[in-house]
Amino acid sequence: MPFDSNLTTERPTFVTHLECAYTGERYEADTVHNLSRAGKPLLVRYDLEGVRAALTKDALAGRPQDLWRYRELLPVRRVRDIVSLGEAVTPLVPLPKLAAKLGAAELLVKDEGRLPTGSFKARGLVMAVSMAKAFGIGHMAMPTNGNAGAALAAYATRAGIRTTIFCPEDTPEVNVSEIELQGATVYRVNGLIDDCGKIVGEGKAKAGWFDVSTLKEPYRIEGKKTMGLELAEQLGWEVPDVIFYPTGGGTGLIGMWKAFAELEAIGFIGSKRPRMVAVQAAGCAPMVRAYEAGEEHAPRWPDAHTIASGIRVPQAVGDFLILRAVRESGGFAVAVPDAAIQAALDEAAREEGFLLCPEGAATYAAYKQALADGRVGRGERAVLFNCATGLKYPLPPVHRTLDRHQPIDYSVFRP
């Protein structure tokens, strides 16, 4: 089969409508939407019986290993609207040394840093931009902590769509430069990501752009759900016992939960679900606070701060969907301090040669904490999500030097 057949072969499409995630109100497909009339996210719904009749595991197995292999469960109807930079299936990487050290049976990392622009944000934005292309949208805007803006810039430039992006003033320079270099106009804002989001929201009417903020359009979820589709297929159409997911806006956690339900409906998996663990930083943990209080919504977290900037989201529009997935799965929400995140990052790099991003390191810190307090058993199969390559983040300096003009004491190099 040609390497690009997922991008060039027309396949049947099964989107029937969109649905308000909060009220269940139905909305027409193939029309531009942001939030529902209730101000809540819209979810794409499919004719899953039709998918079940059209798609088999054997047919799927013969397709190229990229995100677009799941076209029957994706919203883009025509190949001419697909925008792609080569979204390969990301690997599941075992961490056997760390598992053995902790007395755990199996610890896996799904490494999303292998995607275009180096993060899992590529999944959501490739779908949002492809749908924007289908709708003829000419200008898109978003707030970002870094990686989402880079993904939007890359895909929108590929599609010939103008982009304007706003980020907190302390966003790492590598992210800001990447966004600008890939064709967007980017502004630093003296505030947090939700402050940037207010600018984007106000600009819809005043500047005429389309707001592609997290969960404020329906299609980033559809891209992110491919993490769940891939994961189940990689595990032989099984699901792990527990998933640790770095949670800011929570699109990926929500999307995976949706993916597992769709896979069961088309007969690809059974009723077993992984326990979904929402991992946050102690300096910005609105979901953890709401989970522990038994609340449905998570009020804004004041003075949000953490080294894991990707999960520094003080308030999420999809808070109820995150909490619903966590509770329905029998999972939990957990916060880890920055010191534990940094220690986890160092440990994985030095012992496994795996450079986690800070958000990914937060999941390893949370896993260790959950093993210690008994919320996860040592015999359970756990999957951590590393949401970006660690190379996109500031790394510690190295000061060790040698003077080649001076005698070298080679004894220092012996074990």
Side-chain angles (χ1 to χ4, degrees), residues 15-34:
V15 175
T16 56
H17 64 283
L18 280 67
E19 179 182 289
C20 175
Y22 197 69
T23 67
E25 183 181 5
R26 187 178 177 125
Y27 290 76
E28 185 180 353
D30 305 310
T31 302
V32 177
H33 295 287
N34 280 114

Side-chain angles (χ1 to χ4, degrees), residues 123-290:
R123 293 184 187 271
L125 273 306
V126 71
M127 208 60 57
V129 171
S130 295
M131 292 302 295
K133 181 183 176 184
F135 291 137
I137 291 170
H139 189 182
M140 304 174 79
M142 75 178 325
T144 185
N145 278 320
N147 286 327
L152 175 60
Y155 286 111
T157 293
R158 184 84 164 177
I161 297 172
R162 180 184 172 198
T163 49
T164 305
I165 295 171
F166 303 88
C167 62
E169 60 186 351
D170 62 352
T171 301
E173 187 62 41
V174 64
N175 298 124
V176 180
S177 298
E178 181 185 8
I179 293 167
E180 185 81 18
L181 185 62
Q182 290 175 158
T185 303
V186 59
Y187 297 89
R188 294 181 185 270
V189 176
N190 56 340
L192 298 174
I193 190 169
D194 55 345
D195 299 305
C196 298
K198 291 173 185 173
I199 296 171
V200 173
E202 290 172 3
K204 280 177 63 180
K206 297 177 180 179
W209 55 49
F210 180 75
D211 184 352
V212 70
S213 303
T214 299
L215 293 176
K216 290 188 178 179
E217 58 75 52
Y219 302 109
R220 287 175 67 178
I221 293 178
E222 296 306 294
K224 283 287 194 74
K225 85 178 182 189
T226 59
M227 292 187 292
L229 303 178
E230 280 183 18
L231 180 59
E233 187 175 9
Q234 287 172 311
L235 295 176
W237 299 112
E238 298 288 340
V239 297
D241 296 305
V242 60
I243 290 173
F244 284 79
Y245 190 81
T247 305
T251 311
L253 190 150
I254 296 164
M256 282 194 285
W257 195 240
K258 183 175 187 286
F260 298 140
E262 291 174 356
L263 286 174
E264 183 181 4
I266 67 172
F268 277 31
I269 66 171
S271 60
K272 179 186 173 182
R273 295 290 185 274
R275 302 199 305 284
M276 306 297 287
V277 179
V279 178
Q280 299 201 294
C284 184
M287 296 303 152
V288 178
R289 183 173 61 185

Side-chain angles (χ1 to χ4, degrees), residues 1-2 4-12 71 79 82:
M1 183 172 288
D4 62 349
S5 63
N6 293 333
L7 309 178
T8 58
T9 304
E10 297 291 358
R11 292 189 175 132
R71 287 261 303 284
V79 295
I82 294 175

